C-alpha cells in the first residue's frame, strides 16, 4: 500500500527542540524525517520528496535561509516554515521574501505550530489537486487536437466551432481514417457540454438486438435473461454528447427509434411503455456515400434529414498533402515520447516517399507508419528502410496484361478508377473528387465497366 501521509522534514540543530516537534507531528499522523543541521537537510532535499519543511533559522554552517532557498529550487510544490529563537523583524521579512510560508518565533506554543502546519499542508494539497485537474484537462484537449495547415480544413474547423455550442445534430462524412472521430471530440470539446459525458458507439459492430440494448437500455425482464432494468447509452450520455459511428450500418427498425429520440428528446427502453426525457446532443459519422445509402434505403431519409442538420466533410489526406509533413512531425513526437526513444527526425528521402504516397488509409495509415518507423528506427531518425515495403516501391510502372502487352490508356484508366474506388471504400462522391471528375461521369464510366463496354 502506498503511504498517503504528508511528508515533513524537521531541521534543527538543537536535539530537544527537534525531538519535541517530531513527536507532535508524528502524533498528528505525518511521516516525519529529521535533520540535525542544514548540511544534512540539503542532502535529504536532494534525494527525497517532502511536502513541508520546518527549519530552524540560525544553525552552524548551513543556515535556515540556505535550506529555504534550496527547497524553493528542488521542491517547488512544498511549503517551508521557518522557526527561530532570535526573532528579528529583518530575518522574518527576509524569509518571507524568499518564499517561506510562515515565520514562527521561539518560544512557540505547540498549538500555534500545529495550526500553521495544517494550513501549509492544506495549501500543498490544493496545489497538487489543481495540478492534477489541469493535467486531466490538458489530456482531454490533447485528444481533440486537430493538426492541419490546410485552408479547407481550417474552414471546416471554423464551421465546427460555429456549430459546436448549439445542440443541432452534425453528420461527419469522410473516408476511413480521415479524423471523423477526432472532429466529433472537437465538437464536444467546443460545446457547453464539454464537462458532460462523451460516448461513442459503433453502430456496425453489434448485432441488432445488442445494439438496441446498448443504445436504449431495457426494462426489467424485457426478454429472457435480461435481468434487471438497465440504462442505455442514450440515457448515460445525458448532459453530454453521443457519437454514432458508422450510422448507416444501423438496422432500419432502430433508425425509427433513434428518430424518436432526436425529435421528441425522449427515449423508450426496450420493453418499456413510458418514455424517459433525455438531454443529449447527437453526432453521427459515416465513411459511406450518403446519397447512395439513402437511395438504396439503407439509411432512412427522415433520419438522414434529422442527423444532417450540418454536414462536415473531412477531406482525404491525399487532398491536403501539405498536412503530411506536419502530421509526420506530430506523430513522431507522440510515439518517440511514448516509446521513450530519441527519434527526432525523418530522413529527407523517407519524407519524400511519404509525401508522394496516396494514403488510402488516410491519417490513421500515416500514424501507423510513423509508429512503426519509430519502433524500428535505430538512430535518431526514420530512414526509408523503416517504412513499409509497399511504400518504398510505389508502382508507377503499369502491370502488363495477361498476354504481356502493356495496357492501353483506357485499360489503365479503368484499373485506376477501380483502385481509387477501392481506396475510398466505394464512396462515389469521394472517388469522383479524388479523380478530379464529376460524379455523373464517374457513374457513367462505372456503369460502362459493369456492362462490359469500354467507354
Ligand atoms: N488532423 C489530425 N491531427 C492529429 N491527429 C489526427 C488527425 N486526423 C486524424 N488523426 C488521428 O488519426 C487516427 C484516426 O482518426 P479517427 O479515428 O478520428 O478517424 P476516422 O475518420 O474516425 O476513421 P474510421 O472511419 O476508420 O473510423 C486517430 O488516432 C486520430 O487521432
Ligand atoms: Mg472512426
Amino acid at each position: 500500500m502506498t503511504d498517503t501521509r504528508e511528508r515533513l522534514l524537521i531541521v534543527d540543530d538543537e536535539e530537544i527542540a527537534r525531538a519535541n516537534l517530531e513527536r507532535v507531528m508524528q502524533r498528528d499522523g505525518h511521516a516525519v524525517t529529521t535533520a540535525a543541521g542544514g548540511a544534512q537537510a540539503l542532502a535529504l532535499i536532494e534525494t527525497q520528496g517532502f511536502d513541508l519543511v520546518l527549519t530552524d533559522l540560525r544553525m552552524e554552517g548551513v543556515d535556515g535561509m540556505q535550506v529555504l532557498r534550496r527547497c524553493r529550487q528542488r521542491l517547488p510544490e512544498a511549503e517551508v516554515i521557518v522557526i527561530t529563537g532570535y526573532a528579528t523583524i529583518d530575518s522574518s521579512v527576509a524569509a518571507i521574501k524568499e518564499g517561506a510560508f510562515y515565520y514562527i518565533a521561539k518560544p512557540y506554543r505547540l498549538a500555534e505550530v500545529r495550526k500553521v502546519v495544517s494550513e501549509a499542508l492544506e495549501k500543498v494539497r490544493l496545489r497538487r489537486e489543481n495540478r492534477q485537474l489541469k493535467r486531466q484537462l490538458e489530456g482531454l484537449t490533447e485528444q481533440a487536437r486537430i493538426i492541419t495547415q490546410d485552408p479547407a480544413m481550417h474552414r471546416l474547423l471554423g464551421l465546427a466551432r460555429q456549430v459546436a455550442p448549439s445542440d443541432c445534430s452534425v453528420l461527419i462524412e469522410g473516408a476511413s481514417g480521415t479524423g471523423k472521430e477526432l472532429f466529433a471530440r472537437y465538437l464536444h470539446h467546443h460545446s457547453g457540454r464539454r464537462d458532460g459525458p462523451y460516448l461513442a458507439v459503433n453502430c456496425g459492430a453489434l448485432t441488432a438486438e445488442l445494439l438496441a440494448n446498448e443504445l436504449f437500455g431495457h426494462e426489467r425482464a424485457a426478454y429472457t435473461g435480461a435481468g434487471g432494468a438497465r440504462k442505455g447509452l442514450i440515457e448515460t450520455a445525458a448532459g453530454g454528447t453521443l457519437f454514432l459511428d458508422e450510422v448507416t450500418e444501423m438496422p432500419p427498425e432502430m433508425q425509427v427509434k433513434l428518430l424518436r429520440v432526436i425529435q421528441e428528446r425522449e427515449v423508450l427502453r426496450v420493453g418499456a411503455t413510458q418514455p424517459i426525457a433525455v438531454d443529449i446532443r447527437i453526432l453521427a459519422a459515416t465513411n459511406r456515400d450518403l446519397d447512395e445509402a439513402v437511395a438504396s434505403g439503407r439509411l432512412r431519409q427522415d433520419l438522414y434529414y434529422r442527423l444532417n442538420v450540418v454536414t462536415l466533410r473531412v477531406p482525404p489526406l491525399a487532398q491536403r498533402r501539405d498536412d503530411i509533413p506536419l502530421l509526420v512531425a506530430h506523430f513522431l513526437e507522440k510515439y518517440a515520447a511514448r516509446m521513450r526513444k530519441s527519434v527526432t527526425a525523418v530522413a529527407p528521402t523517407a519524407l519524400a516517399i511519404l509525401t508522394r504516397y496516396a494514403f488510402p488509409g488516410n491519417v490513421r495509415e500515416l500514424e501507423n507508419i510513423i509508429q512503426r518507423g519509430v519502433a524500428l528506427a535505430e538512430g535518431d531518425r526514420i530512414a526509408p528502410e523503416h517504412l513499409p515495403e509497399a511504400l518504398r516501391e510505389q508502382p508507377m510502372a503499369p502491370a502488363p496484361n495477361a498476354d504481356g502487352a502493356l495496357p492501353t490508356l483506357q485499360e489503365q484508366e479503368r484499373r485506376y478508377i477501380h483502385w481509387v474506388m477501392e481506396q475510398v471504400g466505394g464512396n462515389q462522391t469521394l472517388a469522383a473528387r479524388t479523380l478530379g471528375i464529376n460524379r455523373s461521369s464517374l457513374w457513367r464510366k462505372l456503369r460502362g465497366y459493369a456492362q462490359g463496354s469500354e467507354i
Side-chain angles (χ1 to χ4, degrees):
M1 224 175 83
T2 53
D3 192 349
T4 55
R5 291 179 303 166
E6 256 101 18
R7 300 155 304 169
L8 265 55
L9 174 64
I10 297 173
V11 191
D12 201 325
D13 52 2
E14 234 181 277
E15 199 188 332
I16 296 174
R18 194 170 68 229
N20 263 338
L21 263 186
E22 179 181 18
R23 202 178 55 247
V24 173
M25 290 302 137
Q26 271 174 345
R27 216 189 296 144
D28 282 349
H30 306 304
V32 183
T33 308
T34 59
Q40 199 187 341
L42 294 189
L44 283 166
I45 291 165
E46 281 311 313
T47 53
Q48 289 181 35
F50 295 102
D51 301 305
L52 179 63
V53 177
L54 289 127
T55 179
D56 192 17
L57 204 53
R58 299 271 170 102
M59 292 182 288
E60 283 292 319
V62 178
D63 69 5
M65 285 305 277
Q66 282 169 274
V67 172
L68 169 60
R69 275 185 214 118
R70 187 65 60 88
C71 285
R72 294 273 58 93
Q73 291 166 1
R74 294 282 167 183
L75 306 169
E77 305 229 321
E79 290 295 339
V80 179
I81 296 170
V82 170
I83 303 176
T84 186
Y86 308 87
T88 66
I89 298 282
D90 283 357
S91 54
S92 63
V93 169
I96 299 294
K97 264 194 184 156
E98 294 276 350
F101 177 75
Y102 209 83
Y103 183 92
I104 298 176
K106 278 186 194 169
Y108 47 75
R109 287 183 303 114
L110 277 175
E112 182 193 6
V113 179
R114 293 171 72 195
K115 180 163 170 280
V116 174
V117 164
S118 95
E119 283 170 6
L121 287 175
E122 180 63 20
K123 191 171 166 193
V124 172
R125 262 195 302 275
L126 277 177
R127 190 186 294 139
R128 191 181 304 142
E129 279 168 20
N130 268 335
R131 198 196 38 185
Q132 275 163 3
L133 281 176
K134 205 167 149 232
R135 221 181 262 159
Q136 280 172 11
L137 251 143
E138 277 165 2
L140 279 179
T141 319
E142 186 54 36
Q143 282 176 12
R145 225 172 95 209
I146 298 178
I147 310 281
T148 183
Q149 60 177 357
D150 178 72
M153 280 287 279
H154 276 287
R155 281 195 296 278
L156 205 60
L157 284 169
L159 177 61
R161 280 192 302 274
Q162 215 180 327
V163 298
S166 74
D167 271 347
C168 71
S169 302
V170 178
L171 194 53
I172 306 166
E173 239 188 286
S176 172
T178 45
K180 296 184 294 296
E181 169 127 32
L182 205 57
F183 264 91
R185 284 180 191 281
Y186 186 88
L187 284 164
H188 174 70
H189 192 76
H190 284 84
S191 77
R193 298 171 174 268
R194 75 176 68 82
D195 296 324
Y198 166 87
L199 297 178
V201 58
N202 187 332
C203 303
L206 299 170
T207 64
E209 197 183 14
L210 280 176
L211 183 63
N213 271 286
E214 197 65 33
L215 278 178
F216 304 100
H218 57 75
E219 265 325 315
R220 192 177 298 277
Y223 56 91
T224 347
R230 188 170 149 246
K231 257 192 198 182
L233 286 175
I234 294 173
E235 280 177 72
T236 312
T241 306
L242 180 67
F243 174 51
L244 301 172
D245 208 356
E246 298 190 27
V247 69
T248 53
E249 309 309 301
M250 187 180 264
E253 67 272 20
M254 221 164 301
Q255 295 185 19
V256 185
K257 293 190 75 174
L258 180 64
L259 190 63
R260 178 192 178 121
V261 173
I262 301 174
Q263 274 171 343
E264 317 291 337
R265 305 253 149 218
E266 55 185 35
V267 60
L268 195 62
R269 291 184 182 175
V270 175
T273 47
Q274 282 301 310
I276 300 166
V278 283
D279 164 37
I280 56 165
R281 200 300 167 69
I282 293 188
L283 307 175
T286 178
N287 53 23
R288 282 181 181 270
D289 188 338
L290 279 164
D291 295 340
E292 192 271 327
V294 174
S296 67
R298 181 189 280 277
L299 182 66
R300 286 180 63 106
Q301 189 153 31
D302 44 10
L303 178 60
Y304 171 64
Y305 287 142
R306 283 290 172 173
L307 289 174
N308 194 23
V309 180
V310 176
T311 316
L312 298 181
R313 280 199 190 88
V314 189
L317 186 55
Q319 274 176 29
R320 41 181 163 118
R321 297 202 153 270
D322 285 351
D323 277 352
I324 296 173
L326 213 61
L327 287 163
V328 165
H330 171 68
F331 292 130
L332 187 66
E333 200 180 325
K334 173 173 167 182
Y335 288 104
R338 194 175 286 182
M339 298 182 209
R340 295 175 197 281
K341 290 185 76 167
S342 55
V343 185
T344 52
V346 174
T349 42
L351 193 60
I353 292 173
L354 287 169
T355 48
R356 272 202 317 265
Y357 181 57
F359 287 105
N362 294 293
V363 185
R364 174 172 298 113
E365 184 179 13
L366 174 61
E367 179 167 4
N368 293 342
I369 289 171
I370 299 301
Q371 181 178 11
R372 178 179 180 277
V374 172
L376 293 180
E378 279 142 12
D380 62 352
R381 53 171 49 195
I382 295 179
E385 64 262 32
H386 304 131
L387 300 178
E389 205 168 327
L391 243 77
R392 278 180 274 148
E393 41 189 55
Q394 289 173 57
M396 267 317 285
N401 290 325
D403 57 7
L406 284 173
T408 62
L409 191 54
Q410 256 178 357
E411 171 59 17
Q412 188 68 357
E413 178 182 280
R414 187 186 63 82
R415 284 185 198 174
Y416 183 57
I417 288 175
H418 279 310
W419 183 79
V420 169
M421 280 293 286
E422 230 177 86
Q423 306 310 313
V424 297
N427 184 330
Q428 291 191 14
T429 311
L430 271 174
R433 217 178 290 149
T434 307
L435 290 163
I437 59 180
N438 60 40
R439 277 198 52 202
S440 47
S441 23
L442 174 62
W443 186 79
R444 263 197 312 279
K445 282 177 191 290
L446 288 172
R447 190 187 52 181
Y449 301 148
Q451 292 167 350
S453 66
E454 299 265 331
I455 293 174

